[in-house]
Amino acid sequence: MQTKYLHFNDADLQLAGKLIRDGQLVAFPTETVYGLGADAYNENAVKSTYLAKGRPSDNPLIVHIWNKSQIADVASYVSADARKVIDSLMPASLTVVLPKRKEISDCITAGLNTVAIRMPRSQQARDFLRYADRPVTAPSANISGRPSPTCWQRVAEDMDGKIAAVLCGDDCEVGIESTVLDLSGDSPVILRPGAVTPQQIQAVLGKPVNVITDPKSKVNSPGVRYKHYAPCVPMALDISGNAAKLCSYYDELVARGYRPVLLAADTQRFGGRNCCDIGSTDEQVAHALFENLRKLERQYDYIIASYTSDTPFAQSILNRLVRSAGGNVI
Ligand code: AMP
Ligand code: MG
């Protein structure tokens, strides 16, 4: 298949919308990461998403909308808490899990009786979804397990020849995936941390929000079980920020024949060793994180990341880093 590279003008958006309605896959930008879009009402199109990504079929997809009125087409019930979150926080880098309508296919929800819904903040994402003229399922537009793409060139790297089109829009502002908030039960639970913090959700709901932190605990969100966000070279994560420790870990790797790189802040501390600045604010770190991993895996054969922030947003970044490193926290 010859993948088309489309742009944000009326003719290309018309074509992107038509491709979706014809059952094809179209990758598009959002503020979190690029998504791989399919018509949520077309089971074959949705199934082809799993094939293109190599995604396990028991990992459900998020349904994307551009208008809050579409929630009623997808969810069967919106609780008072869900209504508050929808009214106060959406559009945002936030996905809400609600009871599903029976029309929503099992291959979207992996057989669950709930459905994940997101209205992106990105204007480009919402323009595309408006032209698609129906709810669009979209996981991240990468091969399953790889770092998510935050610019269209990375989508091309993983998806060229496998999908009908890529909408070439802006680089993703946030850079990590949405917060997934389960509002289908008696109390709200964060299944996946993201840019929208528990504190922001608690402020809207006026009550505590549980956060599932252990992927092995009772898992309501199947996706958190899988290997994720991993570069194709080994990676270690340090959370102490101790420069002497990082340098000695690096030197040991060199002695064992590796060509490592330090992905950390204040890189002048590392005495000329190979390094890459991770960014100095949480926002900078998140924005560049997956792009840094994809860049460094080409140049080096071991990534040592160091990250020490303990803000609410940092917990989401740490979640991605721990998983990128396959749990190898040093
Ligand atoms: P991705 O599309 O790769 O960003 O992953 C989507 C995330 O949303 C995964 O962690 C899924 O497990 C989660 N998800 C999607 N649908 C549901 C659902 N109905 N209930 C719980 N989690 C869901
Ligand atoms: Mg993903």
Side-chain angles (χ1 to χ4, degrees), residues 55 59-62 97 112 114-116 139-140 191-192 220-223:
R55 183 178 174 103
N59 187 2
L61 303 177
I62 296 172
V97 173
L112 298 171
T114 55
V115 61
S140 49
L191 303 176
R192 176 176 73 185
N220 297 326
S221 191

Side-chain angles (χ1 to χ4, degrees), residues 32 93-94 174-180 190-201 211-213 224 228-229 237 282-283 285-287 289-290 307 309-324:
T32 58
S93 309
L94 174 69
V174 176
I176 63 169
E177 299 80 358
S178 59
T179 305
V180 178
I190 292 178
L191 303 176
R192 176 176 73 185
V196 175
T197 62
Q199 286 74 0
Q200 285 172 278
I201 297 165
V211 184
I212 290 194
T213 46
V224 300
H228 234 120
Y229 321 121
L237 174 65
D282 293 333
E283 285 72 19
V285 173
H287 173 75
L289 180 63
F290 291 135
Y307 182 61
S309 172
D310 59 0
T311 63
F313 183 22
Q315 298 309 311
S316 316
I317 298 168
L318 214 47
N319 167 277
R320 306 307 191 271
L321 279 166
V322 169
R323 308 201 59 202
S324 297

Side-chain angles (χ1 to χ4, degrees), residues 46-121:
V46 172
K47 281 183 184 152
S48 66
T49 319
Y50 287 93
L51 272 182
K53 276 181 63 85
R55 183 178 174 103
S57 61
D58 62 350
N59 187 2
L61 303 177
I62 296 172
V63 175
H64 289 69
I65 57 170
W66 63 277
N67 186 316
K68 291 182 188 177
S69 68
Q70 293 174 287
I71 292 170
D73 300 334
V74 181
S76 62
Y77 176 67
V78 178
S79 66
D81 278 352
R83 178 50 57 202
K84 281 187 201 164
V85 167
I86 291 163
D87 289 347
S88 312
L89 291 175
M90 282 164 96
S93 309
L94 174 69
T95 296
V96 293
V97 173
L98 300 176
K100 81 173 182 87
R101 279 183 76 107
K102 63 177 185 324
E103 294 82 358
I104 298 300
S105 156
D106 276 345
C107 64
I108 295 177
T109 64
L112 298 171
N113 53 15
T114 55
V115 61
I117 305 174
R118 184 161 102 86
M119 180 175 176
R121 198 182 65 217

Side-chain angles (χ1 to χ4, degrees), residues 270-293:
F270 302 121
R273 292 169 178 83
N274 298 323
C275 30
C276 170
D277 191 351
I278 197 169
S280 29
T281 64
D282 293 333
E283 285 72 19
Q284 285 170 2
V285 173
H287 173 75
L289 180 63
F290 291 135
E291 184 57 22
N292 279 333
L293 296 181

